[in-house]
Amino acid sequence: MASKRYATVDKRICVACGACENICPLGAIKVHKGCFAKVAQDKCVGCGKCEKVCPANSITMESRVNI
Amino acid sequence: MRKGLPGKQYYNGKQGEHMKTKKKHWYDYLWIWSIVYFALGFFNILFAWLGMVDFLLPLILAAFGGNKFFCNHLCGRGQLYCKLGGDLKCSRNKPTPKWMASKWFRYGFLIFFLAMFGNMVFQTYLVASGSENLREAIKLFWTFRIPWGWTYSGSIFPDWVAQFSFGFYSLMLTSLLIGLIVMIFFKPRTWCAFCPMGTMTQAICKLRNRKAISDK
Ligand code: SF4
Ligand code: SF4
Ligand code: SF4
């Protein structure tokens, strides 16, 4: 079952440091080609760990629209 | 990985593949290298040259691999901040101020940093050409000169090699300290938001991969 929330990245302000990638327990967020982080929405469980460590405040948690 | 069993508390077992804890790689211990580097500089300043690896490797990986594998996995400094600020809780864990992670500040700091790097190379040149004498001191925050002479008592190399070492070590130590300060006030890896190496490698990657990322 999909979680209620999931992480989204504002790729304009992401610095591609990879802090999120290293903390995510599920490997759901990865830095894409050294440019910005990308979330695999189907894998993300919305724990919010990545949001907490992101030094650029580029991660926002959002609600899933259709469960 | 702050506390408890990472990966476990989120899954009820349906997706078995997610249950396993993350595999440790050899490069997850590079934070030790980061400490060793600064320790070596207390004994013999010439070890400062080893820091060139941390300078060139990220650029090589970005230029030829088109990725930030260095920042994402190999940077001992990023890991050290993560350990101190995260595991050891030496960070207030407050959001980085917006301006600190903004484009103009990141690029401004990069330019400032490169200018300081250039200045250091110029000082090295002056010593090499004989118009200046070797100064056995490090300079913190580009302002405070600290005698550091006990780490150098002549070597088989010409003086400019040592001059570069003092200058480079100053740069590394200053940036480490800035990083530690922002770590305490904000998030463990706040330094990464405006780290010149990070900014440079990201810029290279964006340039290299502009086609691949423009259609999304
Ligand atoms: S932690 Fe934040 S800035 Fe760093 S890669 Fe992830 S989303 Fe980007
Ligand atoms: S919210 Fe949790 S599961 Fe989702 S990407 Fe962030 S760390 Fe991973
Ligand atoms: S941004 Fe700088 S300190 Fe952070 S991981 Fe990259 S090179 Fe290391």
Side-chain angles (χ1 to χ4, degrees):
Chain A
M1 196 183 69
S3 60
K4 281 204 193 98
R5 304 193 309 157
Y6 68 100
T8 58
V9 177
D10 184 342
K11 58 186 187 185
R12 288 165 310 169
I13 52 176
C14 171
V15 299
C17 64
C20 51
E21 176 174 336
N22 290 327
I23 198 109
C24 178
L26 300 169
I29 186 164
K30 293 245 154 74
V31 174
H32 178 64
K33 290 184 189 290
C35 299
F36 44 76
K38 260 188 171 178
V39 184
Q41 286 189 17
D42 52 328
K43 276 200 209 162
C44 174
V45 291
C47 67
K49 286 193 163 198
C50 53
E51 183 195 23
K52 260 193 216 111
V53 297
C54 177
N57 317 313
S58 60
I59 298 178
T60 321
M61 304 304 296
E62 284 191 17
S63 307
R64 286 190 204 269
V65 197
N66 39 11
I67 310 286
Chain B
M1 251 148 270
R2 211 62 51 79
K3 46 176 115 82
L5 289 165
K8 251 191 176 152
Q9 62 242 57
Y10 309 106
Y11 261 90
N12 46 24
K14 262 185 228 152
Q15 272 163 303
E17 87 225 48
H18 291 144
M19 293 290 288
K20 59 179 181 241
T21 26
K22 264 197 208 164
K23 208 175 144 247
K24 277 274 187 189
H25 296 278
W26 63 268
Y27 50 70
D28 290 327
Y29 300 95
L30 283 170
W31 56 274
I32 299 171
W33 156 242
S34 179
I35 297 173
V36 168
Y37 176 77
F38 287 103
L40 286 175
F42 274 83
F43 296 106
N44 190 325
I45 199 67
L46 293 180
F47 282 118
W49 278 87
L50 291 176
M52 285 307 277
V53 175
D54 288 327
F55 225 80
L56 297 175
L57 192 60
L59 295 176
I60 292 170
L61 288 180
F64 296 102
N67 60 53
K68 291 233 310 175
F69 192 78
F70 184 85
C71 283
N72 302 163
H73 301 287
L74 301 181
C75 180
R77 174 179 299 204
Q79 291 173 11
L80 185 66
Y81 292 149
C82 210
K83 283 252 176 297
L84 292 176
D87 300 353
L88 298 180
K89 303 198 192 324
C90 298
S91 168
R92 293 197 313 155
N93 261 306
K94 295 274 189 270
T96 306
K98 243 194 186 141
W99 61 267
M100 210 181 256
S102 68
K103 279 226 161 68
W104 69 264
F105 182 72
R106 295 180 64 207
Y107 281 96
F109 190 72
L110 171 64
I111 291 167
F112 171 75
F113 204 83
L114 289 179
M116 290 300 135
F117 189 85
N119 181 43
M120 185 221 9
V121 172
F122 183 63
Q123 294 303 324
T124 306
Y125 163 77
L126 287 182
V127 170
S129 67
S131 42
E132 288 262 10
N133 286 326
L134 170 65
R135 278 205 198 135
E136 297 183 0
I138 63 166
K139 222 174 180 186
L140 284 184
F141 301 101
W142 301 284
T143 320
F144 310 108
R145 183 161 282 145
I146 299 172
W148 210 258
W150 74 87
T151 60
Y152 188 69
S153 46
S155 67
I156 52 166
F157 303 108
D159 271 0
W160 65 266
V161 175
Q163 181 62 48
F164 183 87
S165 303
F166 283 113
F168 195 58
Y169 192 75
S170 309
L171 205 66
M172 295 293 264
L173 196 55
T174 299
S175 56
L176 180 89
L177 291 174
I178 297 176
L180 282 174
I181 294 167
V182 291
M183 172 195 87
I184 292 167
F185 282 106
F186 310 111
K187 291 193 186 179
R189 280 183 67 174
T190 287
W191 163 258
C192 294
F194 59 94
C195 166
M197 292 317 296
T199 309
M200 264 197 286
T201 47
Q202 190 191 26
I204 295 171
C205 288
K206 279 192 172 166
L207 209 64
R208 259 195 62 124
N209 302 319
R210 60 190 176 280
K211 281 215 187 74
I213 58 170
S214 62
D215 45 59
K216 264 164 255 148

